[in-house]
Amino acid sequence: MSQKLVYVCEGGDCTERGSGDLFEKMRELLLARDPEEAQVRVRRYPCFGGCEVAINVTVYPDKIFYSQVTPEDLPEIVENLLGDAAPVERLTGAVQPDVEEMVWMLLDSPY
Ligand code: FES
């Protein structure tokens, strides 16, 4: 299995809605099951440009764009990342498609 990257937005709107705490909680849940970060690493991201549907979290290279994420959603997201659960559909599709496309282009490009 290839390693996944989870990005939690730390832009202004996402931070206002609690993305700092969300990042810490996500990190805690992932490290509890994957202490070496062999399967998943979590990182902060400056701003995805989908601020109106904060808090945004993306999964790469799976290209899953979660919006309006709350701490209560994290166990399900983690189950998709480390277990065999499907992506959490109800949290996807809220961001503008062109914004999502731009994010994947940026993440795809080597920098
Ligand atoms: S502040 Fe999170 S998408 Fe812009």
Side-chain angles (χ1 to χ4, degrees):
M1 195 203 302
S2 64
Q3 193 189 52
K4 297 179 187 194
L5 274 166
V6 180
Y7 293 101
V8 178
C9 180
E10 61 171 2
D13 287 280
C14 288
T15 296
E16 251 176 51
R17 293 189 205 182
S19 69
D21 288 348
L22 194 91
F23 174 88
E24 293 303 336
K25 176 126 200 259
M26 172 76 93
R27 201 160 167 272
E28 206 175 281
L29 290 173
L30 289 170
L31 287 176
R33 288 175 58 177
D34 180 27
E36 306 293 325
E37 294 185 299
Q39 296 176 63
V40 183
R41 285 191 295 164
V42 59
R43 295 290 179 263
R44 294 182 171 91
Y45 197 89
C47 173
F48 291 115
C51 319
E52 69 285 356
V53 288
I55 298 169
N56 291 299
V57 173
T58 64
V59 181
Y60 188 83
D62 296 9
K63 299 191 176 177
I64 304 169
F65 200 119
Y66 292 126
S67 301
Q68 296 170 323
V69 179
T70 67
E72 290 70 40
D73 298 317
L74 294 183
E76 277 177 274
I77 293 175
V78 168
E79 204 45 50
N80 166 251
L81 290 165
L82 292 172
D84 50 12
V88 188
E89 293 276 347
R90 69 170 186 284
L91 302 174
T92 63
V95 76
Q96 294 293 320
D98 55 333
V99 170
E100 185 169 341
E101 209 42 55
M102 179 65 74
V103 168
W104 304 139
M105 259 176 55
L106 289 169
L107 292 177
D108 274 338
S109 63
Y111 60 91

